[in-house]
Amino acid sequence: MDLSLELDKISGIGPKTYEKLEKAGLRTLGDIIYYLPRAYENYRATTTIDQIRPGKIMIKGKPDSLKSTHARRRHLTITEGVIRDNTGAIRVVWFNQPYRVRQLDPKKEYYFTGNYDFKYGKYQLTSPVVTEAAEVSENQSSFQPIYPAKNSLKPLFFKKIMGKLRPNFASIPDLLPEGYAPDFAGSGARADALYDIHFPESSDDVKKGKKYLAYEELFEFLLAAKLNQQENQKLNAISLPFNAENTKNLVKNLPFKLTDAQRIATWDILRDLEKPTPMNRLLQGDVGSGKTVVAALAAHQAAKSGHQTAILAPTAILASQHASGLSALLEPFGLKIALLTGATKQKASLKKQIKNGEIDIIIGTHALLTDDTVFHSLALCIIDEQHRFGVAQRQKLLAKTAISNPGLAPHLLSMTATPIPRSLQLTVFGDLDISILDSLPNGHQPIETKIMPEIEMQENLYPALRQHLKAGEQVYFICKLIDDGGGQFANSDLSSCGGGTAEPIGAAPATAGGRNHCSTIGDLRTGNTQSDVMKLSKKIKKLFPEYNVATLHGKMKPSEKDAVMEKFLKNESQILVSTTVVEVGVNVPNATQIIIMDAEGYGLAQLHQLRGRVGRGTKASNCYLITSGEDKPSRRLRELEKSTDGFYLSEVDLKLRGPGEIYGSLQHGELNLQIATLSDTKLIALARKHATEFAKHPEDMVKYKELNNNIKKYQQLTTLN
Ligand code: ADP
Ligand code: MG
């Protein structure tokens, strides 16, 4: 059976269902068969109410006396009631899920899964997931998959589809080339694995199935990396000769001494640029580690040999900061630098200059990518915060070299401030060369981090802030929402939690795999008016009338954002109340205080990034992580309090979130590894060995159509052409 078969060709799937699936991006049999459960419920694990203990529980019972009330202060809807079975009754509560009243029929039996614990003075079951008992039919296994919802498609919908497809599973062909399967599997292993995952009898079945699919995925991934590496070696790039005198001269005139890490990274890059094959290097360094000057030295080498560099940045603010930083460093050496963003005036004449080769280094946002930006000779591409860009954008930039210099590929330097756990580096970026800036430049001050419940701010925070403001320092307040009445997030970030909206019936419990580490808080947060940037801004203005308070959020026009940032940079405003748009790379050395509201609502990596807005000057800095104070602070926040080491924190994040999630946020979420096993070193070693072996005969690829297609997908991530 061919997995590329369109789903409408399969009996049991009618046109209506097909339409829904197609809308959700699931078109082929393969798409749906690889749509994997996100968790499993073991209905045998049900307890009766007289037996329950605090913790995660599953009970089977009938809802009673459900009613919703609106708590005005927090814009919160509370739905509460009781659940009964024939041994007793317990209290149940949902936040912001008023539809539960309509949805749950007191005459019907349901499974309720959730946390049962002591809160606000009583024991209660909080925001349980619900499955109608009648849907768990008697003759099915009592070990049931729970599918993630997708668009309007509910978990149960997927369960029904899988049921219909069940007879097809036996004829799923193997994907791996013969002789490259793991030693623990024989032929027909893929069909078995997929069956075990969708229709397991026990958690052992699931484990077995996942192990095989994980191997398969790793094999594809590592093979793609190997093939890319080989293919990139066959490409030609412009050789940019190293000139010791020029470089020394520039380094000598820098306003600071390079750190050892900077010197090593720069040296590796400058040598790569000399080669006639393209560089494909990732420069990793924590916020403030000084990546910009490394990029400047590389661009300088390109310019001195008469070729151009394009620097792509994710926001206008960041692009203009790079432009002014690089101008200061490089214009004294005769280099011409220009900025191209959406707001740039006289684009046409600037583009003419770029085309004529009058500009050496062009820094820009997406505006740089349009077809009418043509270079004279583009030799080097630098992408800052590379994970913010999609595959298509990346390719658009890289393709510009072949337009100015037919037949050639650019040297590529990708930069990221999101440290990748060392243990993942080889797997995730197996085909890239990596440079790491693992020490901060001297003179940078430590940041002291403190978790603080909101109610303590008045007494313990504002007086301290006043002192710092008096001393001429500046302050950031970060919160997530903008005042649009709907409690919508100002900007979604890959590393943060979801929006905490109502969960569809039957969705996975919040504890599954630690993914939704903040779903309950999310419920509360959506209604928290304190974290609304406009309201917070008003409040801060009242509290600090003697200072200028500026407000920044993602719904402002780029030019407005720039203007606000510019004022803050010049210390014309002393307090900046902002959403996470300030997150990326913004550099205001005089800002020493950052207060992050509702800190539990962010991921570890993002909090670390946000914190990096301070500690960039010569004064000691503080970061306050504000919580509701209702629960014990999460491990994430406690780790942040302890450490400012990005690499250490990335390892923690890896443990807490799992490698799949980390990988996803590193890669713009476009290609998430589905089965998180990047930490399984044995499996990786085996897959690597096999992939390396197979890559020696790339001509064999044509024999394996499905494998070939899958690999193309991964190859796009790091290919240079
Ligand atoms: P990031 O890696 O976050 O992009 P930047 O390149 O913006 O970091 O550098 C952060 C700050 O540190 C800048 O103000 C920069 O001028 C300064 N800096 C960079 N390298 C050094 C150094 N070796 N010594 C002192 N200051 C440095
Ligand atoms: Mg930077």
Side-chain angles (χ1 to χ4, degrees):
M1 191 187 50
D2 184 359
L3 291 194
S4 64
L5 201 66
E6 307 261 326
L7 283 165
D8 56 350
K9 312 247 161 42
I10 288 169
S11 68
I13 295 181
K16 271 215 184 108
T17 309
Y18 178 70
E19 201 179 304
K20 283 188 203 160
L21 285 165
E22 199 185 16
K23 261 200 195 128
L26 303 165
R27 270 189 325 102
T28 67
L29 192 60
D31 290 343
I32 193 116
I33 279 178
Y34 275 88
Y35 194 78
L36 306 182
R38 57 181 289 184
Y40 295 85
E41 288 289 37
N42 185 356
Y43 292 98
R44 256 174 269 158
T46 309
T47 25
T48 51
I49 286 174
D50 60 345
Q51 296 289 324
I52 54 176
R53 299 265 171 282
K56 196 189 164 199
I57 61 159
M58 175 186 284
I59 52 172
K60 188 180 182 185
K62 290 179 183 171
D64 193 9
S65 338
L66 291 189
K67 65 172 190 319
S68 288
T69 48
H70 202 64
R72 184 157 305 173
R73 190 180 71 82
R74 311 205 61 166
H75 283 264
L76 192 66
T77 312
I78 300 173
T79 305
E80 52 195 328
V82 293
I83 302 167
R84 277 179 214 292
D85 66 9
N86 44 29
T87 68
I90 52 167
R91 192 177 126 79
V92 62
V93 177
W94 287 275
F95 296 106
N96 286 342
Q97 301 183 20
Y99 65 91
R100 296 291 190 191
V101 177
R102 267 175 294 117
Q103 177 200 42
L104 300 177
D105 181 348
K107 290 194 224 54
K108 285 186 181 162
E109 259 190 323
Y110 300 88
Y111 288 98
F112 297 89
T113 312
N115 264 312
Y116 179 68
D117 46 21
F118 194 72
K119 267 202 179 147
Y120 315 109
K122 356 183 169 166
Y123 274 101
Q124 64 178 36
L125 181 59
T126 309
S127 301
V129 169
V130 187
T131 310
E132 201 178 324
E135 279 160 8
V136 183
S137 72
E138 295 302 319
N139 56 12
Q140 277 175 343
S141 154
S142 49
F143 194 79
Q144 297 277 315
I146 299 170
Y147 291 91
K150 189 158 180 158
N151 294 5
S152 64
L153 302 178
K154 300 268 161 72
L156 201 64
F157 170 88
F158 289 105
K159 202 158 155 184
K160 284 185 180 148
I161 292 265
M162 295 306 169
K164 284 187 182 145
L165 294 175
R166 194 168 176 153
N168 297 301
F169 271 72
S171 55
I172 297 173
D174 275 332
L175 169 93
L176 296 170
E178 245 186 90
Y180 293 93
D183 42 19
F184 56 82
S187 69
R190 175 155 77 148
D192 289 347
L194 285 162
Y195 188 88
D196 281 347
I197 281 176
H198 288 288
F199 311 104
E201 294 288 334
S202 67
S203 57
D204 276 351
D205 284 350
V206 177
K207 235 194 246 160
K208 230 172 46 200
K210 279 201 171 159
K211 185 168 176 193
Y212 182 82
L213 291 194
Y215 172 87
E216 198 180 87
E217 198 170 39
L218 286 166
F219 178 82
E220 286 181 348
F221 189 70
L222 294 165
L223 180 57
K226 267 273 167 281
L227 293 174
N228 256 2
Q229 212 172 23
Q230 291 173 9
E231 281 170 26
N232 286 346
Q233 283 307 309
K234 287 188 207 138
L235 300 174
N236 297 311
I238 301 166
S239 155
L240 304 166
F242 173 72
N243 180 317
E245 200 178 323
N246 279 342
T247 307
K248 264 193 203 139
N249 201 16
L250 173 55
V251 169
K252 213 172 56 205
N253 281 287
L254 289 174
F256 43 71
K257 201 167 157 275
L258 291 178
T259 62
D260 285 347
Q262 281 171 324
R263 274 193 296 113
I264 293 167
T266 303
W267 178 240
D268 285 342
I269 291 165
L270 298 188
R271 273 201 326 200
D272 279 357
L273 295 179
E274 284 196 296
K275 295 179 190 153
T277 48
M279 169 174 81
N280 194 8
R281 185 174 283 276
L282 178 70
L283 177 61
Q284 269 195 76
D286 219 339
V287 281
S289 61
K291 295 184 288 294
T292 314
V293 67
V294 177
L297 279 153
H300 172 258
Q301 181 158 318
K304 285 294 175 192
S305 38
H307 300 282
Q308 291 165 300
T309 298
I311 302 181
L312 185 61
T315 64
I317 296 174
L318 202 58
S320 63
Q321 237 176 35
H322 275 317
S324 52
L326 291 181
S327 298
L329 286 174
L330 299 175
E331 271 175 2
F333 295 87
L335 267 57
K336 273 260 183 341
I337 291 138
L339 176 68
L340 178 56
T341 68
T344 302
K345 306 236 163 59
Q346 297 182 312
K347 279 198 190 76
S349 73
L350 176 59
K351 284 178 183 172
K352 217 181 203 168
Q353 288 181 294
I354 297 172
K355 194 170 175 190
N356 293 339
E358 291 163 43
I359 311 278
D360 300 302
I361 303 172
I362 175 92
I363 300 152
T365 52
H366 307 96
L368 193 67
L369 301 176
T370 54
D371 289 337
D372 61 351
T373 312
V374 180
F375 288 79
H376 183 67
S377 174
L378 178 62
L380 170 64
C381 293
I382 299 178
I383 305 183
D384 195 15
E385 300 299 333
Q386 54 96 24
H387 60 285
R388 298 263 162 166
F389 294 95
V391 168
Q393 292 167 325
R394 207 173 150 278
Q395 278 173 348
K396 199 113 210 211
L397 180 69
L398 298 180
K400 289 190 184 292
T401 290
I403 294 169
S404 62
N405 308 68
L408 297 181
H411 295 287
L412 173 63
L413 179 65
S414 309
M415 306 201 287
T416 179
T418 308
I420 297 145
R422 288 179 204 277
S423 47
L424 284 192
Q425 269 167 20
L426 259 182
T427 327
V428 177
F429 295 112
D431 54 336
L432 298 187
D433 293 312
I434 296 181
S435 293
I436 296 178
L437 302 184
D438 54 3
S439 60
L440 296 188
N442 294 332
H444 271 261
Q445 291 294 325
I447 306 169
E448 194 179 319
T449 304
K450 195 169 165 35
I451 301 171
M452 183 180 280
E454 203 175 313
I455 48 165
E456 287 179 21
M457 290 172 75
Q458 189 70 34
E459 200 173 326
N460 296 333
L461 175 62
Y462 297 139
L465 289 186
R466 243 174 260 285
Q467 292 297 324
H468 287 288
L469 284 162
K470 238 187 220 152
E473 297 163 31
Q474 287 164 280
V475 178
Y476 288 106
F477 276 88
I478 306 294
C479 60
K480 212 161 197 177
L481 311 172
I482 77 156
D483 187 17
D484 61 0
Q488 209 186 310
F489 288 107
N491 42 55
S492 62
D493 188 273
L494 296 159
S495 58
S496 70
C497 307
T501 43
E503 217 174 8
I505 192 163
T511 48
R515 274 161 190 258
N516 292 349
H517 43 68
C518 51
S519 76
T520 327
I521 300 287
D523 286 341
L524 298 165
R525 195 181 61 236
T526 7
N528 192 340
T529 52
Q530 274 290 307
S531 40
D532 168 327
V533 71
M534 288 309 181
K535 285 191 183 130
L536 182 64
S537 181
K538 234 189 234 164
K539 183 178 160 179
I540 299 300
K541 276 178 191 154
K542 259 196 212 142
L543 276 167
F544 300 94
E546 64 274 42
Y547 297 104
N548 286 331
V549 178
T551 311
L552 187 70
H553 58 75
K555 289 208 174 157
M556 290 161 72
K557 285 198 207 114
S559 57
E560 292 172 334
K561 280 194 248 176
D562 285 350
V564 170
M565 231 26 246
E566 197 66 38
K567 276 181 83 173
F568 190 61
L569 190 61
K570 290 186 186 146
N571 201 357
E572 285 167 22
S573 49
Q574 292 73 43
I575 304 178
L576 181 64
V577 181
S578 174
T579 60
T580 53
V581 290
V582 293
E583 182 189 355
V584 205
V586 172
N587 191 23
V588 183
N590 191 48
T592 61
Q593 310 294 308
I594 186 163
I595 296 96
I596 304 174
M597 305 300 295
D598 287 323
E600 295 281 12
Y602 300 87
L604 188 53
Q606 197 183 13
L607 286 169
H608 177 63
Q609 283 274 322
L610 284 167
R611 178 170 60 180
R613 296 313 95 221
V614 299
R616 300 175 76 91
T618 49
K619 291 179 193 157
S621 295
N622 297 91
C623 169
Y624 296 90
L625 304 170
I626 307 299
T627 66
S628 68
E630 280 159 16
D631 294 304
K632 193 173 142 225
S634 64
R635 165 104 188 265
R636 274 175 298 140
L637 299 197
R638 286 182 281 127
E639 291 285 358
L640 276 158
E641 216 175 25
K642 279 202 306 222
S643 173
T644 51
D645 178 345
F647 280 100
Y648 167 77
L649 292 171
S650 72
E651 297 286 352
V652 172
D653 208 18
L654 174 65
K655 280 202 197 99
L656 292 177
R657 288 201 298 159
E661 300 274 304
I662 304 271
Y663 178 72
S665 51
L666 289 174
Q667 292 294 359
H668 207 257
E670 276 177 68
L671 274 180
N672 217 337
L673 284 190
Q674 284 208 42
I675 307 144
T677 48
L678 289 179
S679 49
D680 187 340
T681 46
K682 257 195 200 151
L683 204 61
I684 291 171
L686 185 64
R688 186 194 303 288
K689 190 179 116 205
H690 281 169
T692 308
E693 197 53 42
F694 189 71
K696 287 183 186 153
H697 309 282
E699 66 282 0
D700 286 353
M701 274 311 287
V702 290
K703 284 191 246 160
Y704 303 95
K705 201 171 123 224
E706 194 189 347
L707 181 67
N708 202 5
N709 282 338
N710 292 354
I711 282 175
K712 287 239 162 68
K713 199 174 66 178
Y714 289 125
Q715 277 190 287
Q716 286 174 15
L717 288 175
T718 52
T719 183
L720 290 177
N721 62 344

